[in-house]
Amino acid sequence: MATLRIDRTAADSDAVICAIEQAEGYIASICFKTGPPETVGVELEYTVHASADPTTYVDPDRMCQALGDHAPPALNAGTAHLPLRHGSAVTLEPGGQVELSTVPQRSLTELHEAVSADLAELTGRLARAGLELGGTGIDPHRRPRRMLSTPRYDAMASAFARRNDAGRTMMCSTAGLQVCLDAGPPSRWAAVHDLGPPLIALFANSRRHAGHDTGWASARMRTWLAIDPSRTRPVPAGDDGALDWARYALDAQLLCVRRTEGPWTAPAGVTFADWIGGALGPPPTWADLDYHLSTLFPPVRPRGYLEVRYLDTLRGPDWFAPAAILTALLADEPTVDRVRELCAPVAGEWALAARLGMADPALARAATAVRDLALSRLDLPDDLLLDVIEGSTRHERFEA
């Protein structure tokens, strides 16, 4: 069923939302910007460790010293929070994981150049403070412990703790590799979900956590799947992806409610739709809805572009392989159609991919097939193509 689409500029951020249909229309209007695919970016998260002993916890002052003017306000309120030389922003996750968020680039070659330079700058800064980046999707050495305390993170911790310990582990110990792509035609939305299980399997590298073998190929993805499913499960597929996302968002429980004073803790079990319906007294504003959208973490999140969130972070230059493979596999309609055919036997097998990875024969076949398809479609200089090949076959040599 179609819904009213509301232009973002027509919504006053301080105005209240009077009806669920208004909220649905607004979300549907901003989640996809369709058109020819033109840009690609990445967000790279890493656990950070002391080079001398990776099992020790990093002191916030040491991290602040290492990042200098690039430190985020959550770590140092007085920082200038400057981007790195090629434009990437540096932020921190609650456990002190560092995230490098790139400027979108017009080509894979330009992305590789910019990210390689900024990643080298970040690595150098950390090295001078005796720190280094991890290279797996979950901390293999330490149990989760928070470095940062903000109203948002405090409320998140409280909400997740009602269910289990997975939220704490996610906040403090996991590190993901996110690929950000233009939304393109509607078929991209379906294809990027179909690719989830095969690519999780292909790049899974987070078997060990806190000194123990978890038995899962991607303990990071296992952790995400165990959090509140109203905000981390895949968005259900329907005939209208924008409306599917809008309803998913409104049915998700509140993670936090921003307040000028006091904690941001949200009542248990209250969804954003409930809030519109009067569950919290005064109705939410459009700004509240925008903030709520930032607290949803499905494997693929539409933010005007597509944010692919299901991959473990990778070591060193290997980040380029999934970025290049996803770009190649979503480049045109014939390739997208072929991708969906190859992935069909394992569609929806998110948990299986996280548990067994390439040890599952069907997932291994699909992952190998889509990787080979991508390699046949990539037009890159020989050295960059070699990076993709090596980065996408390292699972065959990876020892957890």
Side-chain angles (χ1 to χ4, degrees), residues 120-136:
E121 182 181 352
L122 176 62
T123 302
R125 283 185 165 273
L126 293 172
R128 289 190 287 274
L131 302 173
E132 60 185 31
L133 299 175
T136 60

Side-chain angles (χ1 to χ4, degrees), residues 84 183 244 258 392:
L84 297 172
D244 294 335
R258 295 177 300 160
S392 61

Side-chain angles (χ1 to χ4, degrees), residues 1 24 74 117 211 266 269 321 331:
M1 182 179 70
E24 284 183 351

Side-chain angles (χ1 to χ4, degrees), residues 258-343:
R258 295 177 300 160
R259 300 179 176 92
T260 55
E261 295 182 359
W264 290 12
T265 307
V270 176
T271 68
F272 201 92
D274 294 335
W275 191 3
I276 295 173
L280 300 184
T285 66
W286 297 107
D288 290 324
L289 178 53
D290 282 337
Y291 197 84
H292 173 69
L293 295 176
S294 78
T295 69
L296 307 180
F297 312 115
V300 184
R301 182 166 66 175
R303 303 183 65 186
Y305 55 91
L306 302 183
E307 185 181 73
V308 180
R309 304 176 52 88
Y310 46 66
L311 298 170
D312 286 356
T313 205
L314 302 173
R315 300 182 188 277
D318 287 356
W319 67 268
F320 186 60
I325 286 173
L326 276 164
T327 301
L329 293 177
L330 301 172
D332 54 60
E333 289 292 327
T335 305
V336 165
D337 290 342
R338 181 57 179 153
V339 162
R340 300 204 66 193
E341 291 176 7
L342 294 172
C343 295

Side-chain angles (χ1 to χ4, degrees), residues 126-363:
L126 293 172
R128 289 190 287 274
L131 302 173
E132 60 185 31
L133 299 175
T136 60
I138 202 166
D139 192 328
H141 304 293
R142 303 167 303 199
R143 294 182 60 79
R145 189 172 84 174
R146 279 177 60 191
M147 174 185 287
L148 302 180
S149 180
T150 67
R152 175 185 172 105
Y153 293 156
D154 293 346
M156 287 176 67
S158 176
F160 290 145
R162 298 181 189 127
R163 184 177 179 86
N164 52 38
D165 292 332
R168 177 178 175 83
T169 301
M170 178 277 287
M171 292 176 67
C172 302
S173 297
T174 62
L177 189 163
Q178 300 172 23
V179 181
C180 302
L181 301 152
D182 288 337
S187 59
R188 270 196 162 199
W189 175 244
V192 80
H193 282 85
D194 290 347
L195 281 165
L199 293 187
I200 288 171
L202 184 62
F203 292 107
N205 70 356
S206 55
R207 187 180 177 100
R208 293 191 65 82
H209 173 49
H212 300 285
D213 185 343
T214 67
W216 286 64
S218 176
R220 182 200 63 85
M221 193 63 192
R222 179 189 69 167
T223 299
W224 281 93
L225 292 173
I227 302 169
D228 169 18
S230 79
R231 66 181 1 88
T232 62
R233 75 183 190 279
V235 179
D239 295 331
D240 187 336
L243 183 56
D244 294 335
W245 168 242
R247 291 178 173 170
Y248 177 104
L250 296 178
D251 288 341
Q253 297 182 37
L254 296 174
L255 192 62
C256 57
V257 177
R258 295 177 300 160
R259 300 179 176 92
T260 55
E261 295 182 359
W264 290 12
T265 307
V270 176
T271 68
F272 201 92
D274 294 335
W275 191 3
I276 295 173
L280 300 184
T285 66
W286 297 107
D288 290 324
L289 178 53
D290 282 337
Y291 197 84
H292 173 69
L293 295 176
S294 78
T295 69
L296 307 180
F297 312 115
V300 184
R301 182 166 66 175
R303 303 183 65 186
Y305 55 91
L306 302 183
E307 185 181 73
V308 180
R309 304 176 52 88
Y310 46 66
L311 298 170
D312 286 356
T313 205
L314 302 173
R315 300 182 188 277
D318 287 356
W319 67 268
F320 186 60
I325 286 173
L326 276 164
T327 301
L329 293 177
L330 301 172
D332 54 60
E333 289 292 327
T335 305
V336 165
D337 290 342
R338 181 57 179 153
V339 162
R340 300 204 66 193
E341 291 176 7
L342 294 172
C343 295
V346 293
E349 296 287 1
W350 300 91
L352 182 66
R355 183 163 58 89
L356 295 182
M358 296 294 281
D360 179 80
L363 282 163

